[in-house]
Every structure is written in structure tokens, then in C-alpha cells.
Amino acid sequence: MAPIRYTLARETIGCKTMSSEKKPRRPKAETPKGFRDYFGAEVTERAAMLGKIAEVYRAHGFDPLETSAVETVEALGKFLPDVDRPNEGVFAWQDEGGDWLALRYDMTAPLARVAAQFRNDLPSPYRRYTMGPVWRNEKPGPGRFRQFYQCDADTVGAASVAADAEICGMLSDALEAVGIDRGDYIVRVNNRKVLNGVMEVAGVLDPSDPDRFAEERGIVLRAIDKFDKFGEAGVRALMGKGRLDESGDFTKGAGLSDAQADVVMGFMDAKRETGAATAARLRELVSGSALGAAGVDELEFIAQILDGQGYGPDRIVIDPSVVRGLGYYTGPVFEAELTFEILDEKGRKRSFGSVAGGGRYDDLVKRFTGQEVPATGVSIGVDRLLAALRAKGRIGGTAQGPVVVTVMDRDRMGEYLAMAATLRRAGIRAEVYLGNPKNFGNQLKYADKRESPVAIIQGADEAARGVVQIKDLVLGAKIAASASVEEWKAQPAQFEVSTGDMVAKVQEVLARYGVK
Amino acid sequence: MAPIRYTLARETIGCKTMSSEKKPRRPKAETPKGFRDYFGAEVTERAAMLGKIAEVYRAHGFDPLETSAVETVEALGKFLPDVDRPNEGVFAWQDEGGDWLALRYDMTAPLARVAAQFRNDLPSPYRRYTMGPVWRNEKPGPGRFRQFYQCDADTVGAASVAADAEICGMLSDALEAVGIDRGDYIVRVNNRKVLNGVMEVAGVLDPSDPDRFAEERGIVLRAIDKFDKFGEAGVRALMGKGRLDESGDFTKGAGLSDAQADVVMGFMDAKRETGAATAARLRELVSGSALGAAGVDELEFIAQILDGQGYGPDRIVIDPSVVRGLGYYTGPVFEAELTFEILDEKGRKRSFGSVAGGGRYDDLVKRFTGQEVPATGVSIGVDRLLAALRAKGRIGGTAQGPVVVTVMDRDRMGEYLAMAATLRRAGIRAEVYLGNPKNFGNQLKYADKRESPVAIIQGADEAARGVVQIKDLVLGAKIAASASVEEWKAQPAQFEVSTGDMVAKVQEVLARYGVK
């Protein structure tokens, strides 16, 4: 609830509304379309996961950064200058002063702004991590929201690919820290420079005239980026004459010959048993291209320093089939995939898939300062990783609710509150039922809704005898479901203890269900 | 950095911008006016403080809630219905569908929406806490930002003032949990119903005709709320004929006689040595008013159950001088004040002041459902409490930076990275300098900017001998400042150890400065 300045502001507002509202129509109580609210464990589980990731990032020397949620549209820099009302992709509005402001749509644009704005104050290289919501003005869909969390780590100002290697290793550590076992994930590394070398060999890149074949390369890059969507045949069609989709639409191809396309396809297919063999195959493919050789050198360097720190190929591998983002990044590209299987909507087994990705991009600050600043970073898909932890049984499942002290006797509220306080002092989450105590059944329904493991009951009679009833609600629910008299006798779901034993006995029950 | 869907979205956008941007003017790298970014310790210190508060709230059975940052303007309900472009107080914009959306300006409006929307699913009473940014479209000023944190706890659906007592006790626990010692704070409790009783006695409230004297009461309430600002004379003027301010503006008064005003002023002055004496004085003041007596009963009940849980008058007191928010709340009102002294801008001692406030309000859900739902809650001023912890030396002050492994020999990057990994495995925050290593001075300057306590140095020569140099940067800075040869000899800021001893020796230095 609002104190001080907040109260006053709200009060002022309240008066205004009241005096001028003409039609007392009731507003709809609805989360705006495409937005959602997070309750209870949804909040704590995400916070716990992000906390563990933050610990790993901090240990690596990364500092937290929390930028304002609001940026100038100019700083975000994604709008057509001739559009009066920018609303493509972001939520934007015009300030009193006439400036357009918008909610950030990712964490990279604000990082670029900060790196430029504070370039004289920040250490260089600047390692930072950030976690928070971003907003997209997009059509919402199932599981697709207009506000969601991103969790990014970037290093700004380090030209060495040692920075990329560090991010890959750190990503691997972060996944293990949150509860993804080694063997259940793999970080794959590729390199845009190798692809450039391949394009040079395929004849669509001329290092002496970088603008030549730009259109063809654009088509090849977009085709590669869609490999997961179109498959090999579709990508080959786009590299050659073009692709006709199911709806009859034709997408122009890059015009490569089959031999040229073979070189590009060979790149995506270059993964071998060991990193060394993959690198050797890539070196073969880019033979004659200095650019390509430099890319292979980078991959080998990354593999070597990661090996030296214990990140073997069971955790991080060179894999040229990682093509997502190759069109955007300028050097190393990486992706973390969870390799364990889950059942999809149709009950078919499939591997869980990608939960994080990133790479090197060198134009971060250039828009602001004109200066090229090398940067590399990774973004973890927060909701996907949470879903993975749920699928693996790492989070959820245990009763999270507090012990509920019920109210048998309204006049003894003070004593019930003192009981809850006694439980809390012993580290037990506990509360008193504060609704109308008249109907005791409602109190137990409440405890049920709260997912409470235990209820405490003390009427005037019990109080006089110095005892309380402890009701094991987990067992109670089990008995209500399966109901055998023998089970009930062996371990009754409700039993009486002396008030002095209450804490110890409650702890016993909680320990049985792993409640903390 | 952006993976997967984010990358693709950004790429599409990037292309568009590039192709249609006519004038390549550089955007300004600036946080929007009134907004700010939070770096490093600013983020971690706030998160740590909120984490401790959350623990206390959770222990009391409160569940976290994180609503969407965006609400429909209709649900926020603070705009004039005849204004086309709502922008008073909030940041709002029109959705494609024509709906107006806005950023939340506090945590109470979203709670009201959630309590109405999910009334069939939520437990009742519903205890929830929430922590996050809110946005105000107000003129920014020094220390006054357009985005700031709120941290609220509310109980919805509990008519008993035991809920208010619980919140007061929990607030007291939360303050102690974050590091405010007992004796350095006080939670004061007042009650709007007592004030209503006082107004009845003073003749400006007629229980049989609630609308009568409404204007007079409004003036009295606003006057009381401004006691801190106008002082006794100003408030008395507003209760009587009216008040002329310094600029010559006249504010109409409530028209109370001196005797009537005495009754109201007596209320604010009713605090006595003990809670019982205060309650007795209040009972005297409201003599004849059933409403007022009910308010005194509530205060006594709160005091009694808090006493029973160990919240004595050294922590929570009945104090009728708490007048802020009385106009807004409908029952108990509370405020937490930090009582220790700090120096203000002019070097004068003054008590730190209010850091939290709240109370009971019964119209929470009514706007949406027509049903009256009782609610009570508290909001902690996050920035003020952080400032208090800094003033008390509870946070800040220690070097937070990582150990920096410097790079003497570019070819041995892998080994430097492995050294940092070794330090991390021992729980030490550590990183390798990843900028251009050519100028060693730059590396030490970097370590300085990072507030690193220790630098590790190993050239080819040291590597061959199996040793590293450990540079104590805290001591180094001290020596550079005070510089006595004796000190230097007694405890040199740089010393050599065998590689195998690196971790243990670094830990020794870190322990010296309390670095974690």
C-alpha cells in the first residue's frame, strides 16, 4: 500500500476522477491482451533461477546493470523517420516535450546506449549482465506474450575471442548451476568468418570489393538462417533459382550453381567426431580464403582455451550446423541446446531444444559514436529454461504453502497470532486464518487453496488442557483420496500434542514432505 | 545478447532502418529525462535488501505477485473520460485496437484489478507482496525519478484488524531483517475511525446523515494531512476561517470554532507515555461517539495482540500524531520512522524520517465488482530505506570488484583464463583482463576502475619458475597515498608465491579486506 508521496498523489487523482466521472460504468478487471500476471511459485522459482545465474556471472567478473525500462525512440533506433506514430514492434508514446519514448524491446539496444553514454566512466572491457522484462508490440499468441524476461551477459570492448570462449564456458556453468546436468545440454559454437570464407570459395564474396555480390550473400544468409524451417531442399532452392512455397509465393534465389551451393551446404555439414577433425574439414572447405582461415583459427583457439579449463566436448563443441543468427553476428556464434527428450503436444518424443544463444557483433556503439566497438554476448531464454527445469522435475511439485493456524475462538486471536509467531521463530512459514472464522470448513478449504502442509487447531478445551491439534493436510488429502482404515490407524492425519511440543512435531511433519 | 526469435526480430528491423534512413544523423546516447540506470552494487544491494524483506513476508504467509507492467487505462481508472489523450500522471498510449494502455503508477491499482479478476481462484483472505518498478509521468526533480521501485504487502479480504496488526509486526521484522536495529526505528499506529469520532464530537460529522458537513470534513482532512508542511498555526487557520499563504493565495477554511478546532488538535496531541494512557486520552476525546469508541477499541486490540507477540512500545506505538494518509485510509493507519539522526544538506542534524506507510482501505475491488472488500497494506520506500542502510554503514564501503588476472603474454591467454577458473572454483570472484594487453599500465588502471582488491601477474619468466605475483591493490593504493618505506617493507603490496599457493594466498589478502 502506498505511503507518503504515493498516497498523496493517488489521493489527488482519486478526487479528480470522482468529481468528473459522469457515467459510473464498471471497468473490466482484465490483464491487457497479450500480458499476464505471475503468482506465487512462478515468481519465486524464476527469481531463484535468475539468482543462481547471476551468481555464476558475478563470479566471472560480470557486473549487474539495470537500465530504465523506457528509452527514447531515437536511442532504440528502429523506426522509419517519416512515420509520425511509431508503433511497429514497440510500445511508444509521445512525451509532453514532443520526444517519442518507448519501452525497451530487448537488452542489447539499452546496452549500446549505456556503453556510448558512459564510455568514459565504465571499465573497458565492460562485462555486464542484466535480467528483466522487455516489451514487444506484437500480435500475442499461445505462449507468446508482449512482456517477457530476458537474461543477458555481454562483454563490450574485448576484441579477443577469449571473451567469446569465456561466455561459452560461463553459459555452460550457468546451465549446470540452475540444475541442468552435464550430458543434458550442449553448447555449440560456429563462426561467421568461416561462412564468409565459404562464400568466398563459393564465389559470392570478393574480399577486394566487399560490396560485390552483396545481394546474393544476403539471400544465402537468409536461406541459411531458415535451415530449421525449410530444410535442406528449401535452402538449396533459395541458393539456386528460388523457392516456391506452398501458398504459391515465389522467393527469388541467389543464383548459385549446384557446385557453389555444395560448398555452402558442405559448411553446415562439416561437423566431425572431434573438434580437431571438424576444424580440419572446415580448413579444407575454406582453402584459399584468408578470411575463412582466420575464422577456423578462432574456432580452434576457443576450443583450445575451453579445453584448458575443463570444458570438454561433452559441454562445448564446434558445430558448423549452428546457423541461427549467422546473418546478424560477425564472428563466433553460439547456442545452448538441451538434449534430453520431452513429449510434444502430440505425444511425440523430441529433444527440448535451444535455450540460449549469442555471438559477436561489432557495431554496438557505432550508431551513437561512429566508433566501432567489439562486443560479444549471450541471452538465455528465461521462460524456456524454466520450462526445462519443470520438465526435469527440478522445480515445482512440493507444497509451498504456509502452516495455517486456524481460529476456533475469535476472542483468542492474540494467542493464535502468537502461535504463528512461535512457528516463524523456528524458521517455519506460518500464518493465522484472518477471514471470518465462523465456518470451520471454510478455514480448511482455505488451507487447501494455500497448499498448506499443516493446520494447527486449538479450541477453548484444548487451550485449557495446554494442547494443540496438528492436522497433516498432505496425508489428509491422501487418505481422502485412497481411504484405507488401516492407513489411518497407522498414521493418523490429525493428532494432539502439548503446546510445548508444537514446533518440534510440526517440523517432523514438514520434514516428511520436504517443505521448507 | 539476443538469441533465436529476438535475433530474427532485430535483424528484420535492422534491415528496414538501414534501407530507409535518409539522413545518417547520430542519435543521442542519453537516458530519457527523469529516468536513470543502476550499475553494479546499486543493483545487488537493492536486490539483497528486497530479498531479505521478501523472506520476512513469505514467512508470514504472504505470496509473491508480479503483475504486468502494463494495464489498461480503464483498469487503472484515473483519467477524465472526456480527455482524448490521457497523460496526466501516467505514461499511456493507444493500442492498435484503440484501447488505451498505460504503465502502472503504483502497486495498489494492479492489486485491485487482480483481486477482482481472480477472485474465484485466489485464497481469501489473500496475502500478497510485490516488488518492482512503477512509473510516474511527472516533472522529474533532484532525486525524483519517473521510474522507481515499490515494495508492497497487502492483505485483501480480512475485515479483522488482526490483519493490520500483522502488517505492523511484519514491517517491524522486515526493518530489523535488513539491518535497522531495534531502537533506530518506530512503527506508529493511528486510526481514521478515531478521527471520525473526533469530528463527530467537534460537530462536523453526523452519523445519521453521512453527507452532511462533507465539505468541512474534506477541508479538515486535507489540513491535517498537511500538518508536517503547515505546522499547527497553518492547520488551525485552515480549520477556522482559512489560510493566506506567502504568495498571497487564500485557501478557504472549514469554519470551525476555536473550541471545535481544539478537539481536533487535541486528537493529534493525544500521545501519552504509555499506549494505555494514550488510549484513555483518546477515549476521553471521542466520548459520546460510537464510531470513535470503535476506533479506540481497534487501537487497543492491535496494541494488545502485538504486545502478546513481543512487539512492545520500543517497536510499535499508538501515536495519534500520525496524520499522513488519514484522508485516504478508512481504519488503522501506520507509518515506520527511522529515528536515528543524519546530517541534512546544510549540515544540521535531523531524524532520518519516514520509510514506510500504509493502512486499511475498503474500496479496493469495488470499482470492478461493486462489492466492498476490506484490505490493508504497507508500502516500503525502497530508495529511502536503501539510503538509510547506507547512512548506517550497513551496505557499501567494501571493494566489490573481482580479482583481475593480468595478461603479460598474449600467447598464454589459455593459462590466464585457467588461473581465473581455478580462483573461481575456490569461490573467489575472478576475471582475466580481455582488453589489448600491450600497455600493462592500462591493465592496472582497469583493475583500479573495477575496484579489484587483487591483481595476479605472471610473465614468461614467472611461468617458467612456477610462480605468480600477487599484487594487493588495496594496500598498494594506501601506500601510494601515504607512502612510508617502513610500511612497504613490513607488508609489501606485491609478493611472489608458487602457483600452487595462489588460491590460499589470494584468500588471505581478501580476508584482510572482508571481500566476498
Side-chain angles (χ1 to χ4, degrees):
Chain A
M1 253 307 310
I4 322 154
R5 52 183 283 209
Y6 319 142
T7 304
L8 297 178
R10 184 159 45 175
E11 225 190 324
T12 315
I13 292 150
C15 295
K16 220 177 272 176
T17 310
M18 264 179 269
S19 61
S20 59
E21 217 162 40
K22 266 134 209 167
K23 32 173 191 182
R25 191 176 63 85
R26 277 187 203 145
K28 277 191 214 122
E30 279 177 6
T31 324
K33 211 176 46 167
F35 289 87
R36 55 162 298 190
D37 306 300
Y38 295 83
F39 294 88
E42 293 174 331
V43 177
T44 46
E45 285 168 0
R46 182 178 57 204
M49 183 184 88
L50 292 178
K52 284 176 198 160
I53 295 173
E55 251 176 63
V56 172
Y57 288 179
R58 249 187 73 76
H60 282 79
F62 285 66
D63 269 351
L65 169 67
E66 189 178 314
T67 60
S68 61
V70 177
E71 294 279 345
T72 65
V73 162
E74 187 190 11
L76 287 181
K78 50 175 295 192
F79 298 107
L80 310 178
D82 48 353
V83 171
D84 181 44
R85 169 87 175 89
N87 62 0
E88 243 182 313
V90 302
F91 294 106
W93 63 88
Q94 203 164 11
D95 204 6
E96 264 107 278
D99 295 336
W100 279 94
L101 302 177
L103 290 173
R104 64 180 174 224
Y105 60 93
D106 74 358
M107 296 300 198
T108 312
L111 173 62
R113 193 258 304 155
V114 164
Q117 182 174 349
F118 300 98
R119 63 189 179 281
N120 296 327
D121 308 307
L122 291 172
S124 177
Y126 175 49
R127 288 176 176 97
R128 84 91 179 79
Y129 69 86
T130 193
M131 303 166 161
V134 300
W135 293 266
R136 298 275 168 90
N137 192 358
E138 291 169 342
K139 224 186 154 77
R144 200 180 157 84
F145 294 99
R146 305 211 281 178
Q147 173 179 333
F148 53 90
Y149 264 69
Q150 285 199 344
C151 164
D152 287 22
D154 293 77
T155 301
V156 180
S160 165
V161 293
D164 302 79
E166 176 176 68
I167 294 229
C168 289
M170 189 167 80
L171 175 58
S172 163
D173 286 358
L175 291 175
E176 294 185 13
V178 299
I180 305 290
D181 291 334
R182 205 168 295 180
D184 272 344
Y185 74 91
I186 191 81
V187 177
R188 302 181 204 281
V189 187
N190 197 359
N191 194 309
R192 168 65 189 269
K193 287 182 186 165
V194 180
L195 175 62
N196 281 355
V198 166
M199 295 222 257
E200 188 182 347
V201 171
V204 287
L205 191 152
D206 178 355
S208 68
D209 181 0
D211 288 337
R212 216 176 143 200
F213 306 121
E215 197 192 337
E216 287 83 354
R217 281 200 307 279
I219 297 173
V220 170
L221 276 169
R222 282 192 295 278
I224 283 180
D225 224 17
K226 286 172 185 148
F227 190 89
D228 288 356
K229 202 171 158 193
F230 294 157
E232 189 182 332
V235 172
R236 271 198 180 264
L238 283 168
M239 286 195 198
K241 298 215 173 79
R243 180 175 175 272
L244 195 71
D245 71 14
E246 300 79 40
S247 73
D249 281 345
F250 182 75
T251 310
K252 193 189 155 194
L256 267 63
S257 69
D258 282 355
Q260 286 176 309
D262 279 348
V263 178
V264 179
M265 299 305 291
F267 162 71
M268 288 186 277
D269 200 34
K271 184 163 187 302
R272 297 291 177 269
E273 273 300 301
T274 65
T278 304
R281 170 66 185 140
L282 287 174
R283 212 170 276 289
E284 224 173 83
L285 275 172
V286 301
S287 162
S289 163
L291 207 58
V296 180
D297 287 348
E298 287 185 3
L299 282 176
E300 282 182 329
F301 181 59
I302 289 173
Q304 172 213 320
I305 56 184
L306 285 172
D307 263 342
Q309 289 170 72
Y311 300 101
D314 55 334
R315 303 168 78 186
I316 306 177
V317 292
I318 297 180
D319 187 346
S321 74
V322 173
V323 290
R324 240 178 302 188
L326 273 183
Y328 170 72
Y329 296 113
T330 56
V333 178
F334 22 91
E335 186 167 32
E337 192 188 325
L338 303 191
T339 51
F340 59 83
E341 288 182 332
I342 53 158
L343 297 180
D344 69 11
E345 316 82 60
K346 292 177 183 159
R348 290 170 307 206
K349 276 188 182 175
R350 61 169 186 78
S351 117
F352 189 92
S354 173
V355 290
R360 175 166 287 271
Y361 51 103
D362 289 327
D363 55 352
L364 185 72
V365 184
K366 205 179 172 186
R367 280 186 57 239
F368 294 103
T369 64
Q371 223 180 341
E372 241 179 44
V373 174
T376 181
V378 70
S379 182
I380 292 180
V382 174
D383 291 322
R384 295 226 1 112
L385 187 53
L386 270 171
L389 294 177
R390 267 184 215 114
K392 289 296 268 183
R394 289 284 182 280
I395 51 175
T398 53
Q400 298 281 326
V403 170
V404 170
V405 178
T406 58
V407 175
M408 298 294 282
D409 191 354
R410 203 191 282 256
D411 292 341
R412 294 179 44 253
M413 181 57 89
E415 284 156 70
Y416 295 125
L417 286 164
M419 276 186 212
T422 302
L423 289 164
R424 280 196 296 271
R425 269 193 294 275
I428 299 165
R429 196 180 178 210
E431 60 168 52
V432 174
Y433 178 75
L434 288 183
N436 187 337
K438 221 167 153 187
N439 181 334
F440 191 69
N442 279 349
Q443 300 198 43
L444 290 182
K445 268 184 218 151
Y446 169 83
D448 192 47
K449 221 166 198 177
R450 296 288 286 122
E451 300 185 354
S452 300
V454 166
I456 304 289
I457 306 165
Q458 193 194 52
D461 156 61
E462 279 107 352
R465 290 191 293 121
V467 298
V468 298
Q469 299 279 338
I470 294 180
K471 193 173 169 71
D472 178 337
L473 298 169
V474 181
L475 184 63
K478 226 164 91 195
I479 289 172
S482 67
S484 112
V485 179
E486 287 69 36
E487 279 178 332
W488 168 263
K489 280 185 180 156
Q491 193 186 43
Q494 185 171 328
F495 55 96
E496 192 176 292
V497 300
S498 79
T499 308
D501 289 342
M502 177 182 71
V503 167
K505 291 293 173 186
V506 168
Q507 273 167 335
E508 246 172 53
V509 178
L510 296 184
R512 211 177 286 159
Y513 305 116
V515 177
K516 270 192 293 194
Chain B
M1 253 307 309
I4 322 152
R5 52 183 285 208
Y6 319 140
T7 303
L8 296 178
R10 184 158 48 175
E11 224 189 326
T12 316
I13 292 150
C15 294
K16 220 178 272 177
T17 312
M18 264 180 268
S19 62
S20 59
E21 219 163 40
K22 267 132 207 166
K23 34 173 189 180
R25 190 176 63 87
R26 279 187 202 145
K28 275 191 215 124
E30 279 177 7
T31 324
K33 210 175 48 165
F35 291 87
R36 56 161 299 193
D37 306 300
Y38 294 83
F39 294 88
E42 292 174 330
V43 177
T44 47
E45 285 167 0
R46 183 179 54 205
M49 183 185 87
L50 292 178
K52 283 176 199 159
I53 295 172
E55 252 176 66
V56 172
Y57 287 0
R58 247 185 75 76
H60 281 78
F62 284 66
D63 268 352
L65 168 68
E66 189 178 315
T67 61
S68 61
V70 176
E71 296 280 346
T72 65
V73 161
E74 189 190 7
L76 287 182
K78 51 175 292 191
F79 299 109
L80 309 179
D82 49 354
V83 170
D84 181 45
R85 168 89 175 90
N87 61 1
E88 241 182 314
V90 303
F91 293 107
W93 63 90
Q94 204 164 10
D95 204 5
E96 264 108 278
D99 295 336
W100 279 95
L101 302 176
L103 291 173
R104 64 177 176 226
Y105 61 91
D106 74 358
M107 295 302 196
T108 311
L111 172 62
R113 195 257 305 154
V114 164
Q117 183 174 351
F118 300 98
R119 62 188 179 281
N120 296 326
D121 309 308
L122 290 173
S124 176
Y126 176 48
R127 289 175 173 96
R128 84 92 180 77
Y129 68 86
T130 193
M131 303 166 159
V134 300
W135 293 266
R136 299 275 168 92
N137 192 359
E138 293 169 341
K139 225 186 154 79
R144 198 180 160 84
F145 295 99
R146 306 211 283 178
Q147 172 180 334
F148 54 90
Y149 264 68
Q150 285 198 346
C151 165
D152 287 22
D154 293 78
T155 300
V156 180
S160 164
V161 294
D164 302 79
E166 177 176 69
I167 295 228
C168 290
M170 189 167 80
L171 175 60
S172 163
D173 286 358
L175 292 174
E176 293 185 15
V178 301
I180 304 291
D181 291 335
R182 206 168 294 180
D184 272 344
Y185 73 90
I186 191 81
V187 177
R188 303 182 206 277
V189 186
N190 197 358
N191 194 310
R192 168 64 190 270
K193 287 182 187 165
V194 180
L195 175 61
N196 281 354
V198 166
M199 295 221 258
E200 191 183 344
V201 171
V204 287
L205 192 150
D206 178 356
S208 67
D209 182 2
D211 288 338
R212 213 177 145 200
F213 307 122
E215 197 193 336
E216 286 82 355
R217 281 200 306 279
I219 295 173
V220 169
L221 276 169
R222 283 193 292 280
I224 282 180
D225 223 17
K226 285 173 186 149
F227 189 91
D228 288 356
K229 205 170 154 192
F230 295 156
E232 187 181 332
V235 172
R236 271 196 179 265
L238 282 168
M239 286 196 202
K241 300 220 173 75
R243 180 175 175 271
L244 196 72
D245 72 12
E246 298 79 42
S247 73
D249 281 344
F250 182 75
T251 309
K252 192 188 155 195
L256 268 62
S257 70
D258 282 355
Q260 287 176 309
D262 279 348
V263 178
V264 179
M265 299 306 290
F267 163 71
M268 290 187 276
D269 200 36
K271 187 166 185 299
R272 298 289 177 269
E273 271 302 301
T274 67
T278 304
R281 170 66 184 138
L282 288 174
R283 213 172 276 287
E284 222 174 83
L285 276 171
V286 299
S287 162
S289 163
L291 207 60
V296 179
D297 286 347
E298 287 185 3
L299 282 176
E300 281 183 331
F301 182 58
I302 289 174
Q304 171 213 323
I305 59 184
L306 285 172
D307 262 343
Q309 291 171 69
Y311 300 101
D314 54 334
R315 303 168 79 185
I316 306 176
V317 291
I318 297 179
D319 186 345
S321 75
V322 173
V323 290
R324 239 180 299 192
L326 273 184
Y328 171 71
Y329 298 111
T330 56
V333 178
F334 22 91
E335 187 167 35
E337 191 188 325
L338 303 191
T339 49
F340 58 84
E341 287 184 329
I342 53 159
L343 297 180
D344 69 9
E345 317 81 60
K346 289 176 182 159
R348 289 170 306 207
K349 275 187 185 176
R350 61 169 186 81
S351 120
F352 191 90
S354 173
V355 291
R360 175 166 287 271
Y361 51 103
D362 289 325
D363 55 352
L364 185 72
V365 183
K366 205 179 172 188
R367 280 187 58 240
F368 294 104
T369 64
Q371 224 181 340
E372 240 180 43
V373 174
T376 180
V378 68
S379 182
I380 292 180
V382 174
D383 291 321
R384 298 236 344 123
L385 187 53
L386 270 171
L389 294 177
R390 266 184 216 112
K392 288 297 269 185
R394 288 286 181 277
I395 52 175
T398 54
Q400 297 282 328
V403 170
V404 170
V405 178
T406 58
V407 175
M408 298 294 282
D409 191 351
R410 201 189 284 253
D411 292 341
R412 293 179 44 252
M413 180 57 87
E415 286 156 72
Y416 297 124
L417 286 165
M419 275 186 212
T422 302
L423 290 164
R424 279 196 297 271
R425 268 193 295 275
I428 299 165
R429 195 179 179 209
E431 59 167 55
V432 175
Y433 178 75
L434 288 184
N436 186 339
K438 221 166 153 187
N439 181 334
F440 190 71
N442 279 349
Q443 301 197 42
L444 290 183
K445 268 184 218 153
Y446 169 83
D448 192 46
K449 223 168 196 173
R450 298 286 286 117
E451 298 185 357
S452 301
V454 166
I456 304 288
I457 306 164
Q458 191 194 53
D461 156 62
E462 279 109 351
R465 289 190 293 119
V467 298
V468 298
Q469 299 278 339
I470 293 178
K471 195 173 168 71
D472 177 339
L473 297 169
V474 182
L475 184 65
K478 221 158 86 193
I479 288 173
S482 67
S484 112
V485 180
E486 287 68 36
E487 280 177 330
W488 168 263
K489 277 186 182 157
Q491 192 188 46
Q494 185 172 330
F495 55 95
E496 191 176 293
V497 300
S498 80
T499 308
D501 290 342
M502 177 182 71
V503 168
K505 290 293 173 187
V506 168
Q507 275 167 332
E508 247 173 53
V509 178
L510 296 185
R512 210 177 288 159
Y513 305 117
V515 178
K516 270 193 293 193

